[in-house]
């Protein structure tokens, strides 16, 4: 029985400082409700700050994963072209026509891979010149052609959807 009394006393001693602390907080809150509101606002601000930091870290991680995925997809599409080029280089036959045909097939494969990725080529003779998509490096005076018509294409342009990756380098008629 004495043992139980000692345990009860210890529990009261342990609870007593906690109870006193709670009572002090309650008295302070009753004395100054603005202080309670200030403490609540501080806690809320700390939570929002922590949530924002976590959001920022999560967003950065997702961005990096998306970039890695897009890079892997692009490389996997182009690897078949690399394989074809390796085969062409390792071929020791001096067959020019066969080599030319192999390069043509490799080019077609590369263009098909780019098309799968959403890349399209543009810039053909006879098209209307558009400064948003073309880079005119030469002009020719020719009365038989309309004004601002592409006469020659030095380098084709490429775009993904409507975003220009590289403008076409062209010669236009004035």
């Amino acid at each position: 029985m004495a043992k139980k009394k000692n345990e009860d006393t210890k529990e009261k001693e342990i609870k007593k400082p906690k109870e006193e602390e709670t009572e002090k907080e309650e008295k302070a809150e009753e004395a100054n409700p603005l202080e309670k509101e200030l403490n609540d606002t501080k806690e809320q601000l700390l939570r929002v700050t922590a949530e924002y930091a976590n959001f920022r870290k999560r967003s950065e991680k997702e961005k990096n994963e998306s970039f890695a995925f897009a890079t892997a997809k692009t490389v996997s599409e182009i690897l078949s072209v690399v394989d074809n080029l390796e085969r062409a280089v390792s071929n020791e036959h001096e067959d020019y026509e066969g080599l030319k045909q192999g390069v043509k097939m490799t080019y077609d494969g590369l263009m098909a891979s780019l098309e799968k990725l959403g890349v399209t080529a543009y810039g053909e003779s006879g098209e209307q010149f558009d400064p948003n998509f073309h880079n005119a490096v030469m002009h020719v005076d020719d009365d038989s052609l309309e004004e601002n018509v592409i006469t020659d294409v030095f380098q084709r342009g490429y775009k993904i959807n409507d975003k220009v990756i590289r403008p076409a380098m062209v010669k236009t008629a004035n």
Side-chain angles (χ1 to χ4, degrees):
M1 188 94 168
K3 213 178 200 184
K4 184 167 181 149
K5 204 174 196 182
N6 285 339
E7 288 177 10
D8 288 340
T9 309
K10 286 181 182 177
E11 283 183 28
K12 286 181 183 176
E13 289 174 5
I14 292 171
K15 289 182 181 176
K16 193 173 183 180
K18 289 181 183 178
E19 289 173 2
E20 288 176 7
E21 193 175 302
T22 307
E23 287 176 20
K24 286 180 184 178
E25 288 176 5
E26 288 175 2
K27 286 180 184 177
E29 289 173 6
E30 289 172 8
N32 192 353
L34 290 177
E35 195 170 308
K36 180 185 184 296
E37 188 177 334
L38 177 64
N39 289 336
D40 290 346
T41 305
K42 283 181 182 178
E43 278 185 39
Q44 189 177 17
L45 179 63
L46 287 173
R47 282 191 200 109
V48 169
T49 304
E51 286 176 17
Y52 179 69
N54 290 337
F55 170 75
R56 219 176 48 232
K57 288 176 188 175
R58 192 171 49 251
S59 295
E60 184 68 26
K61 182 181 175 187
E62 288 173 1
K63 184 178 86 171
N64 290 339
E65 288 173 356
S66 294
F67 180 75
F69 177 75
T71 302
K73 183 178 178 183
T74 303
V75 169
S76 70
E77 284 295 327
I78 296 174
L79 286 178
S80 64
V81 175
V82 171
D83 294 338
N84 289 337
L85 288 173
E86 285 177 347
R87 278 189 221 101
V89 169
S90 68
N91 189 358
E92 295 182 14
H93 300 290
E94 294 183 20
D95 180 17
Y96 175 74
E97 286 303 315
L99 182 62
K100 184 177 178 180
Q101 182 182 3
V103 170
K104 174 71 172 128
M105 289 172 59
T106 302
Y107 172 78
D108 291 341
L110 177 60
M111 294 309 291
S113 294
L114 289 175
E115 200 170 299
K116 284 181 187 176
L117 295 170
V119 177
T120 56
Y122 67 92
E124 299 291 330
S125 295
E127 287 181 1
Q128 192 68 27
F129 175 77
D130 183 352
N132 296 318
F133 296 104
H134 304 100
N135 181 16
V137 293
M138 293 180 76
H139 299 282
V140 63
D141 290 326
D142 191 344
D143 293 334
S144 64
L145 297 171
E146 293 180 31
E147 190 173 329
N148 288 332
V149 171
I150 297 172
T151 59
D152 290 318
V153 178
F154 301 117
Q155 192 176 53
R156 292 178 66 175
Y158 293 91
K159 61 183 176 177
I160 295 178
N161 300 324
D162 288 334
K163 184 177 181 346
V164 174
I165 298 171
R166 180 181 79 187
M169 194 181 313
V170 298
K171 178 177 161 179
T172 62
N174 286 341

